[in-house]
Each structure stands twice: as C-alpha cells, then as structure tokens.
Amino acid sequence: GQNIDQPTEMTATEGAIVQINCTYQTSGFNGLFWYQQHAGEAPTFLSYNVLDGLEEKGRFSSFLSRSKGYSYLLLKELQMKDSASYLCAVLDSNYQLIWGAGTKLIIKP
Amino acid sequence: DVKVTQSSRYLVKRTGEKVFLECVQDMDHENMFWYRQDPGLGLRLIYFSYDVKMKEKGDIPEGYSVSREKKERFSLILESASTNQTSMYLCASSLWDRGNTGELFFGEGSRLTVL
C-alpha cells in the first residue's frame, strides 16, 4: 500500500531551526508538496519538489531524495506564527495526492 | 488572490438528515476536490471533478455524492448523515493536470457534527 510517514508532533524554540521529516512509499512519484495549516484554517501551499535537492524560499527550505523516499522541511529563525501543522503529500504515478497525517509544530518562547 | 469559499463553517445535523456542503471558487479552475480531515489521519479524498458534470470517486466515496453543474461550484451531498461522518470537510481547487502539477487552493473548511 501507499504510505506517508511524518512525526505527529514537534516542539521547538523561537529563533531556532527545526527540521520536519517525511518518508514515503508510493506507487510512482510525480512530486512532493508541503502545506502549512494553522489551527482552524485551510492548508496553504509552501513548496513543491520533483527533483532531488534543496529548494529554498525565505526562511523555509524543502529537500528531496527520491532514491531514499525522503523529504524534509527546514524552518529557520522560528517565529511564534510558525506554530501550525505541516502536511506532506506525494503525487503518485496516477497523479493522485497521497497525504501524510501532518506534523503539529509547537513553538515555545 | 484565488478564493475558495465554503458555504458553512459549522453545521450540526441529526442522523438521517440530508446535508449539502457548497463550495465555490473564483479562479476558473478546472479541478475541484472534496476531502475530509480527521485527527491522526491524512486528508482523505472523497470525490473530485476535472470538468463540469464530471465526477470521479476518491478513496472514501461511500455515503457521499457530488454535483458539479457549473465550473465554479462543487457540492458535496450526504444523503443520510451518520455519526461517523462527523468531520472537517475541505474543498479545494487547482489548475493541476497531467504534466502540469500545481498547488491546491483550499477553502476554510466546514466542520460537520452529526448527532
């Protein structure tokens, strides 16, 4: 079956760096998405990776290794507003999105 | 900005009632989706549509139906609500198709409680 694994919850300190990992086993691969979802709000798009390597976008970076079935989202200079759930999703060979359960990130002062 | 609007943020219904969840997008997207989101589970696809009057079953279509009479509107229908359909329902739209993947734009969600 298809599977996306990410930690359920992580805690980090304001100003620090945190890495949220995502591992996947899917039928084919056509890209990996990261979304951010604040409590009670809609998910919003953060990044899309289809080739191996690191994509940087301001304080957020996303890394992909297709051979390892692995991605991470790196958040630098953490701010309180970064407290949210981070959703990993993979586009499989049928162009269907397979979603992880999400990682709840708690930022402490 | 792309806007996806869901008609109701919170609904409380009784078992057996018919429930309509409406979703409207204003960016002329071909693709629209209905998901449900439950704690500890990833988003699960109920139905999707790539064009007007077209619908495809997702992973968990049982107990649901959909309607897409106009490009901008995608409705989710629960013919006879049951307590296990208590959930957050998220509508999304995108320009994504084969060879041209794109991001999903989500509505704010409709939290349905079935008593």
Side-chain angles (χ1 to χ4, degrees):
Chain A
Q2 309 204 86
N3 196 50
I4 309 282
D5 284 318
Q6 47 181 136
T8 303
E9 187 173 295
M10 299 181 70
T11 303
T13 305
E14 191 176 15
I17 299 173
V18 71
Q19 177 175 310
I20 303 174
N21 295 326
C22 171
T23 57
Y24 62 89
Q25 290 178 306
T26 56
S27 303
F29 179 85
N30 280 300
L32 185 145
F33 292 83
W34 284 96
Y35 283 80
Q36 180 190 58
Q37 186 178 23
H38 286 101
E41 297 184 12
T44 54
F45 171 81
L46 287 177
S47 67
Y48 170 71
N49 294 66
V50 67
L51 300 176
D52 289 351
L54 187 69
E55 297 269 349
E56 297 187 71
K57 198 185 289 186
R59 293 189 299 114
F60 292 11
S61 303
S62 56
F63 172 83
L64 175 68
S65 168
R66 288 172 296 171
S67 63
K68 295 182 180 178
Y70 168 69
S71 172
Y72 66 73
L73 182 68
L74 191 72
L75 291 73
K76 302 177 184 176
E77 301 169 15
L78 285 169
Q79 302 175 9
M80 298 303 292
K81 67 179 182 180
D82 297 329
S83 291
S85 289
Y86 291 86
L87 314 180
C88 174
V90 171
L91 206 57
D92 71 7
S93 57
N94 293 320
Y95 288 86
Q96 300 299 316
L97 268 177
I98 312 300
W99 294 84
T103 299
K104 183 178 181 180
L105 177 64
I106 299 167
I107 309 297
K108 295 186 174 179
Chain B
D1 282 351
V2 173
K3 188 152 184 156
V4 180
T5 304
Q6 295 184 227
S7 55
S8 305
R9 290 295 304 274
Y10 301 95
L11 303 95
V12 179
K13 298 291 182 181
R14 298 204 174 273
T15 301
E17 280 192 86
K18 192 168 186 176
V19 182
F20 290 90
L21 299 179
E22 298 279 327
C23 175
V24 178
Q25 51 95 3
D26 65 0
M27 284 300 292
D28 204 35
H29 286 173
E30 290 85 7
N31 310 317
M32 297 189 75
F33 307 83
W34 274 106
Y35 287 94
R36 64 177 282 176
Q37 186 175 34
D38 299 290
L41 299 176
L43 291 173
R44 292 183 291 169
L45 183 63
I46 304 171
Y47 268 96
F48 61 100
S49 170
Y50 288 150
D51 202 352
V52 176
K53 296 194 185 292
M54 176 272 180
K55 59 186 178 185
E56 292 282 348
K57 292 180 180 179
D59 300 317
I60 52 164
E62 295 78 19
Y64 303 94
S65 62
V66 290
S67 173
R68 191 153 182 214
E69 296 297 317
K70 293 184 177 181
K71 190 174 185 179
E72 67 271 19
R73 188 179 297 269
F74 192 35
S75 303
L76 181 69
I77 303 146
L78 289 68
E79 291 290 341
S80 178
S82 62
T83 55
N84 64 11
Q85 292 178 310
T86 292
S87 186
M88 170 69 85
Y89 290 88
L90 290 167
C91 175
S93 72
S94 79
L95 284 171
W96 157 34
D97 59 19
R98 289 179 184 271
N100 184 27
T101 58
E103 65 188 273
L104 289 177
F105 295 88
F106 286 89
E108 293 290 328
S110 298
R111 184 166 292 283
L112 172 66
T113 301
V114 182
L115 302 176

